[in-house]
Amino acid sequence: MSAHDHSPGGRAASWTYGLAIGLALFSGMAQLPIMKRYYIADLPGMAWAADFFATSDLHYLAAALLLMMLAWRLALDGRLAGLSWSWGPRTWWGWGLLGLLALTGAAKAARNWGLYLPPTTMLVLDLTHLMAAMAFMVTGLVSLVMGRKEPTRAGMAEGL
Amino acid sequence: MPKDISRRGFLKGGVSLAAGVAAGMAAGPLVLPGAAQAASGQELCTVLDLGKCIGCEACVDACRAEWQPTVPDPVKPIPQPFPSRVPIEDWSSRKDVQDRLTPYNFLYVEHLELEGKVSELHIPRRCMHCVNPPCTSLCPFGASRQEKNGVVHIDQDICLGGAKCKTVCPWHIPQRQSGVGLYLNLLPTLAGNGVMFKCHRCLPLVSQGKQPRCIEACPQKVQSIGPRQEQVAKAQALAEQAAAADGRPGQWRDYLYGLEENGGTNTLYVSPVPFAKVNAALHELHIQQASQEAPAKAGQGRGQAAKGGKGLGRRLAQAGRPPMGPVANSMENPENLTLALAIAPVAGLAAGLGRLFGGARKLGRALEARRQDADKGGQS
């Protein structure tokens, strides 16, 4: 029996989370003007990667999906103690980075509704969002390379 | 709700109020020019009454005299970016060019010859200073900035010259100078390619309570600046007069450019002839100019522009001469998707909490049963 069987949402939730994280990271990276420069958009079927508006829309959608999943998880965790999850951050570091990404991203998005943010604040938000995303990506890659242990209730309780 | 009040504009008041409390409005208020000083903190808007413009280019000369010296000369040789297909854009030996936008020329004047009652029209062109500028919203490094008074400008100390701002700008206004700026100190061949430059509506002067140079220098008083609400009303009144004078009373929207383009801008043009006609004439003129310049500028993309075909308008605009056609709100999707971002966590919480009194307990019991089964399996 795999960890997915113990996890609310099962395998579908794990895949959805992985897909949302992957899309958010890729579309976020595509906001840097590198896709055309480094031939990624020249790959068959990848021309859209150089369209900043298309990748921006994708980033919003992936972020919305992530926010929904994480909120759902927090709501369930708050109510039912001892749930084990086969997806999502397993450390406070991971949760912290996701929280930082959500806060800075939300503030940046709020501009679309007329929220005025002073340029220096915007600069701090932009760079914080960028750095947090890079840190999250590096953390994820290290986690993949080092191998990820099956989540356990004891591990969850220890914040691992 | 009037058509020219967008959802964004409607929401802006409430959101700004909340944000003001939350963010504390860290930046100090700017000292605003002229009539706008009384309305400190308001978004400023310019109105250009093209019927008054005689094409003397005093505005261009004043702008160049003030700001060209602030654009640095590049290092030589300019590092060749990797991969080699990334072009070096060097305007430092062509600082005299003033019939288009360049890194050393933030403002130019289009000189149009028309058929009909109005035989010629002169149009000063520069950054439109959008209400929700995609260049600022989509700049990944915070180099493109928007001040509270509506000025959109690029911080040349931070910009890496990736030209994303130019790509996402509907008019492709920002212009790149390679070989200058921060990227030289980072990874000059692998990332960045200079600095983007464009009109900043004389922000340093406006901050001191002075007028932008182009407004100050104009002998015809073509342009005015003031709080957006007042300027919009003024532009509408002028456009109504222009429509009536052209024998098309009530069709004032055809004579006003910038109010609805790209979701709204803080540069409003009023013309004595409809902008559809202006844009058609501009298009023809730009094709002619591209054809003439193509042999001399081969390799800078303008040779392609002269050939026509797919994306001609875009290529012409990329050549530093923006059109004046209709422009849909490029930030419409992000504005709508912001709603999705706001709803998503609420929906997630509701889904989680909605299972509280039935589903959640059932789910907890099911998962516990599975664990017990697994434990038994492991023991046996």
Side-chain angles (χ1 to χ4, degrees):
Chain A
M1 187 171 285
S2 76
H4 298 296
D5 298 317
H6 299 294
S7 180
R11 195 174 294 274
S14 296
W15 277 100
T16 307
Y17 175 77
L19 182 70
I21 285 284
L23 287 177
L25 286 174
F26 183 80
S27 57
M29 280 176 62
Q31 295 310 302
L32 304 172
I34 56 174
M35 295 294 168
K36 189 175 178 186
R37 176 168 179 163
Y38 288 112
Y39 298 93
I40 297 164
D42 291 347
L43 296 172
M46 290 298 289
W48 59 272
D51 181 337
F52 294 118
F53 288 109
T55 51
S56 169
D57 292 350
L58 188 60
H59 198 63
Y60 276 84
L61 288 171
L65 187 56
L66 274 177
L67 283 173
M68 191 165 69
M69 290 192 76
L70 292 169
W72 175 67
R73 175 172 166 165
L74 288 173
L76 281 180
D77 262 340
R79 187 65 189 175
L80 297 169
L83 286 177
S84 65
W85 299 86
S86 61
W87 56 272
R90 299 176 65 234
T91 63
W92 290 114
W93 169 250
W95 277 108
L97 288 175
L98 270 187
L100 200 56
L101 285 165
L103 284 175
T104 51
K108 278 154 60 80
R111 269 182 53 83
N112 292 322
W113 281 1
L115 170 65
Y116 174 74
L117 294 168
T120 308
T121 307
M122 277 298 291
L123 175 67
V124 171
L125 288 175
D126 282 334
L127 294 182
T128 306
H129 196 76
L130 185 64
M131 295 301 161
M134 291 174 78
F136 189 84
M137 195 160 51
V138 170
T139 303
L141 286 173
V142 169
S143 170
L144 279 175
V145 171
M146 302 291 285
R148 177 179 171 146
K149 293 175 185 173
E150 294 292 331
T152 62
R153 283 202 282 179
M156 289 296 291
E158 291 166 17
L160 296 173
Chain B
M1 189 182 292
K3 192 182 174 187
D4 51 358
I5 299 177
S6 64
R7 186 183 67 174
R8 181 177 189 275
F10 181 75
L11 290 168
K12 194 169 182 176
V15 175
S16 296
L17 185 65
V21 177
M25 295 301 170
L30 290 172
V31 182
L32 302 177
Q37 285 186 7
S40 178
Q42 283 200 48
E43 195 170 14
L44 296 178
C45 179
T46 52
V47 173
L48 290 96
D49 185 354
L50 298 182
K52 290 181 178 176
C53 186
I54 57 173
C56 68
E57 299 197 1
C59 54
V60 178
D61 294 337
C63 176
R64 289 165 62 84
E66 186 73 33
W67 301 117
Q68 197 181 77
T70 66
V71 180
D73 286 321
V75 295
K76 292 292 175 77
I78 296 174
Q80 173 59 52
F82 177 84
S84 58
R85 73 171 176 177
V86 180
I88 290 176
E89 293 186 68
D90 182 13
W91 285 90
S92 60
S93 61
R94 288 176 284 164
K95 290 183 182 178
D96 58 321
V97 172
Q98 63 179 60
D99 65 347
R100 55 159 288 170
L101 299 172
T102 80
Y104 296 94
N105 195 60
F106 301 166
L107 167 68
Y108 76 104
V109 178
E110 296 276 11
H111 303 283
L112 284 183
E113 290 179 9
L114 303 167
E115 291 178 2
K117 279 191 293 185
V118 179
S119 60
E120 62 178 42
L121 197 64
H122 308 281
I123 313 170
R125 297 308 309 274
R126 55 163 172 74
C127 173
M128 300 289 285
H129 297 279
C130 300
V131 172
N132 186 17
C135 59
T136 297
S137 294
L138 296 179
C139 177
F141 306 113
S144 180
R145 301 172 156 213
Q146 184 180 35
E147 301 292 336
K148 195 165 170 53
N149 64 6
V151 170
V152 181
H153 61 111
I154 296 169
D155 188 333
Q156 60 174 283
D157 293 332
I158 296 170
C159 180
L160 298 175
K164 181 181 179 184
C165 52
K166 183 177 181 178
T167 305
V168 299
C169 171
W171 295 276
H172 308 295
I173 296 287
Q175 300 290 314
R176 174 162 56 195
Q177 175 59 48
S178 301
V180 302
L182 180 63
Y183 89 111
L184 293 171
N185 301 321
L186 301 173
L187 297 166
T189 56
L190 294 176
N193 188 12
V195 172
M196 307 304 294
F197 293 94
K198 70 170 195 70
C199 162
H200 44 60
R201 219 169 61 185
C202 292
L203 180 64
L205 301 178
V206 169
S207 300
Q208 297 168 26
K210 298 176 183 172
Q211 293 276 325
R213 284 286 186 251
C214 55
I215 296 179
E216 190 181 63
C218 181
Q220 297 296 111
K221 304 294 176 205
V222 169
Q223 196 178 174
S224 64
I225 187 168
R228 178 173 173 80
Q229 207 169 6
E230 291 174 17
Q231 293 292 88
V232 167
K234 177 181 176 178
Q236 284 182 356
L238 284 171
E240 282 168 6
Q241 287 173 21
D246 200 32
R248 300 177 67 220
Q251 302 296 310
W252 61 270
R253 287 185 189 277
D254 293 348
Y255 298 80
L256 178 55
Y257 191 78
L259 183 62
E260 293 170 359
E261 279 67 29
N262 201 28
T265 78
N266 278 317
T267 301
L268 306 178
Y269 290 94
V270 181
S271 165
V273 295
F275 273 99
K277 190 175 177 182
V278 171
N279 190 46
L282 276 175
H283 188 71
E284 289 304 313
L285 176 64
H286 292 167
I287 288 176
Q288 282 177 24
Q289 289 169 324
S291 300
Q292 290 162 6
E293 292 166 0
K297 309 293 182 190
Q300 290 212 358
R302 285 194 280 188
Q304 288 182 328
K307 290 175 191 167
K310 192 181 175 186
L312 173 64
R314 180 182 167 85
R315 288 201 296 274
L316 288 172
Q318 290 274 14
R321 295 189 182 101
M324 298 192 92
V327 174
N329 182 5
S330 60
M331 294 301 290
E332 187 175 359
N333 277 359
E335 288 169 12
N336 291 333
L337 287 169
T338 301
L339 184 63
L341 277 185
I343 290 173
V346 179
L349 282 174
L353 296 174
R355 301 169 91 172
L356 275 180
F357 304 106
R361 287 183 189 130
K362 193 176 168 186
L363 174 70
R365 283 196 296 271
L367 289 168
E368 188 56 38
R370 283 189 200 171
R371 280 192 207 102
Q372 287 171 1
D373 289 345
D375 291 345
K376 283 177 190 171
Q379 288 167 3
S380 60

